[in-house]
Amino acid sequence: MTILRALACQTLALLLTLGLAYLQPIFHNPIVFLFTQSSFAVGNSFLLRQPTWWIPIHLLFLPSVFICFTLALPAWIYLLTVIVLTLVFWGTIRGDVPLFLSSSEVAEVVIALLKKENAQTFVDLGAGVGSVAIPVAEKLPTVQVEASERAPLPWLISAFRGRNLSNFTASRHNFFTTDFSKYDVIFAFLSPLAMPEVSEKIKREMRVGTLFISSSFPAPNWHPERILYINDRRETLLYLYRVQKNETSQTV
Ligand SMILES: C[S@@+](CC[C@H](N)C(=O)[O-])C[C@H]1O[C@@H](n2cnc3c(N)ncnc32)[C@H](O)[C@@H]1O
């Protein structure tokens, strides 16, 4: 569905720009043409309510195609690019969360929180290349750290980075199939779209008193125990949720 919407944005933008080029010779200029098509594509993306991370993709899509054609690159480069992008952004095409990496400042704060919680078990839901899970496993050897990731290439990178850490496991699966009750602290940096389903599963399965840390995106209808401001490039906010008895009674 997501990919069909993206294709619809691009195709409609192309048709509109071709229509303008038919009416006005100024649009025969490649730069004007590409700029107009990209702008229409972004506008369509807004109209079709696509997540904001589609904006750079729509902006760059046709200009990149144009540049590749003018450079006359060999065909295998296109194939390689598609393979690598598929392995990295595995589920993104179906509307999943894309790969963005947490900063080292976020990892430091998560380490401090795990120490304070005296946690024994920790998982990063959608661990990417292990930007949080690896530093945690390195700094806290007594904590069993799991990096749960569905996309093959990020998973492989995190498994390789953690190959010498006996307290680290990189599991390649959909975290919705995991039982959350085994973790003392769960960290997630996902997307607003994923938060309702994730937080419902957390409330259902995590033990009373355990901690859920959500980076950047709040859990809907759940009042955080604390919100931490991280002084990093993204000015990340960490939302801390304490799982309580009869969790539904504390929803707002
Ligand atoms: C925004 S990145 C965060 C990466 C890492 N946690 C960090 O903080 O640097 C989100 C990751 O979640 C993964 N992901 C999304 N949904 C998933 C699912 N259901 N199961 C496993 N991984 C998932 C994506 O492949 C992506 O790598």
Side-chain angles (χ1 to χ4, degrees):
M1 193 62 192
T2 310
I3 190 68
L4 288 182
R5 259 194 276 176
L7 281 174
C9 292
Q10 284 292 331
T11 311
L12 189 62
L14 191 59
L15 291 175
L16 286 169
T17 317
L18 284 171
L20 287 175
Y22 180 73
L23 296 171
Q24 288 290 334
I26 178 85
F27 292 99
H28 295 181
N29 178 314
I31 294 178
V32 176
F33 188 95
L34 291 171
F35 179 78
T36 311
Q37 194 276 347
S38 306
S39 309
F40 275 137
V42 171
N44 293 338
S45 180
F46 273 117
L47 288 177
L48 292 184
R49 299 193 182 166
Q50 288 204 289
T52 43
W53 51 263
W54 275 99
I55 292 173
I57 299 175
H58 284 307
L59 273 178
L60 296 177
F61 179 71
L62 203 62
S64 315
V65 172
F66 179 76
I67 290 168
C68 290
F69 269 121
T70 52
L71 290 177
L73 296 171
W76 63 265
I77 290 191
Y78 296 106
L79 182 64
L80 187 69
T81 308
V82 170
I83 291 173
V84 170
L85 289 178
T86 308
L87 292 176
V88 173
F89 295 102
W90 195 243
T92 308
I93 220 149
R94 292 191 306 265
D96 245 15
V97 185
L99 178 67
F100 293 111
L101 305 183
S102 289
S103 62
S104 56
E105 290 88 344
V106 166
E108 285 306 318
V109 172
V110 172
I111 289 166
L113 286 167
L114 284 163
K115 279 186 190 159
K116 195 164 156 245
E117 295 289 314
N118 206 8
Q120 305 300 306
T121 47
F122 169 79
V123 65
D124 181 354
L125 303 179
V129 298
S131 313
V132 173
I134 293 287
V136 166
E138 281 171 347
K139 292 264 175 71
L140 304 175
T142 58
V143 178
Q144 281 308 312
V145 176
E146 189 176 332
S148 174
E149 173 57 55
R150 186 150 75 174
L153 199 53
W155 163 78
L156 198 64
I157 293 171
S158 104
F160 181 77
R161 291 178 69 195
R163 67 195 180 286
N164 294 327
L165 296 165
S166 59
N167 61 330
F168 176 82
T169 317
S171 29
R172 196 182 98 67
H173 59 219
N174 177 354
F175 58 68
F176 283 111
T177 62
T178 311
D179 177 8
F180 287 178
S181 67
K182 53 187 171 181
Y183 307 111
D184 296 333
V185 176
I186 291 185
F187 173 84
F189 175 27
L190 297 167
S191 80
L193 231 65
M195 288 317 287
E197 201 178 344
V198 171
S199 57
E200 277 315 308
K201 186 169 162 64
I202 299 256
K203 287 175 186 175
R204 249 190 345 264
E205 295 180 6
M206 278 188 88
R207 282 170 283 112
V208 172
T210 53
L211 186 70
F212 170 46
I213 308 168
S214 178
S215 174
S216 308
F217 308 110
N221 304 322
W222 196 0
H223 196 71
E225 181 180 84
R226 278 167 77 197
I227 301 175
L228 300 180
Y229 166 80
I230 312 296
N231 192 11
D232 62 1
R233 192 175 47 81
R234 231 187 250 124
E235 303 196 328
T236 306
L237 292 179
L238 292 183
Y239 297 86
L240 311 191
Y241 298 95
R242 180 77 53 194
V243 179
Q244 295 184 359
K245 222 181 216 161
N246 190 13
E247 196 55 63
T248 44
S249 67
Q250 65 153 330
T251 57
V252 285

